[in-house]
Structures are given as structure tokens and as C-alpha cells.
Amino acid sequence: MSVPHSVELLEFIVDRVEVGIFAVDREFRIVLWNRFMATHSKHLEETVVGKNLFDCFPDLPRKWLERKIESVFILKNYAFTS
């Protein structure tokens, strides 16, 4: 068995960690959706990646989450929430 490249290893870990991880771009399009998110949201990666977060989940607190996500881009940092 060969050792996977670092990107493949990172993708493997992100997909199997027991915590929800997702990423969006500046237009709030989902660009990453791990297995935990798929299992617990009942939305498969194939059905959400490339789509607007708020279109997929209209019940989210939009104004609050937009501010939180915008701060990530401004501060160039991560954000965590539950």
C-alpha cells in the first residue's frame, strides 16, 4: 500500500473525522462537505457542493451566519460554531 499524497491524506482525514466540516466561497457556495455533514444533515455532498448554502438550508440564521462567514474572509481565519 502506498502512502497517499498530502492532499489525498488531508481529504481522507476531513472526510472521516467525527465532526462536521464544510467550506463556502465568498458567494456562500458550498465547496467542501464532509461525510459527517452528509450523515447528520441528510444532504449528500453531490447535492450541495456548488450550491448556495442558504438555498440548501433556508432555515439557517442568514444575517448572523453571513456576518460570521464574512469575518472569516476579512480576518483570513477559521470559524467554528455548533
Side-chain angles (χ1 to χ4, degrees), residues 11-54:
E11 289 172 354
F12 178 84
I13 292 168
V14 166
D15 199 42
R16 286 174 180 69
V17 67
E18 286 299 313
V19 66
I21 299 174
F22 74 95
V24 296
D25 64 15
R26 285 200 86 111
E27 286 75 41
F28 305 104
R29 284 186 303 256
I30 300 167
V31 295
L32 180 129
W33 195 256
N34 77 343
R35 186 182 303 190
F36 184 95
M37 290 298 294
T39 300
H40 293 278
S41 72
K42 309 228 184 329
H43 287 77
L44 297 176
E45 178 184 20
E46 305 83 52
T47 65
V48 296
V49 169
K51 298 200 171 115
N52 181 280
L53 177 67
F54 300 109

Side-chain angles (χ1 to χ4, degrees), residues 24 28 54 61-75 77-82:
V24 296
F28 305 104
F54 300 109
R62 185 174 186 138
K63 291 205 181 287
W64 174 82
L65 194 51
E66 282 177 338
R67 283 191 308 268
K68 187 165 184 78
I69 292 170
E70 186 60 28
S71 73
V72 169
F73 288 107
I74 291 169
L75 300 174
N77 203 353
Y78 303 104
F80 304 91
T81 191
S82 60

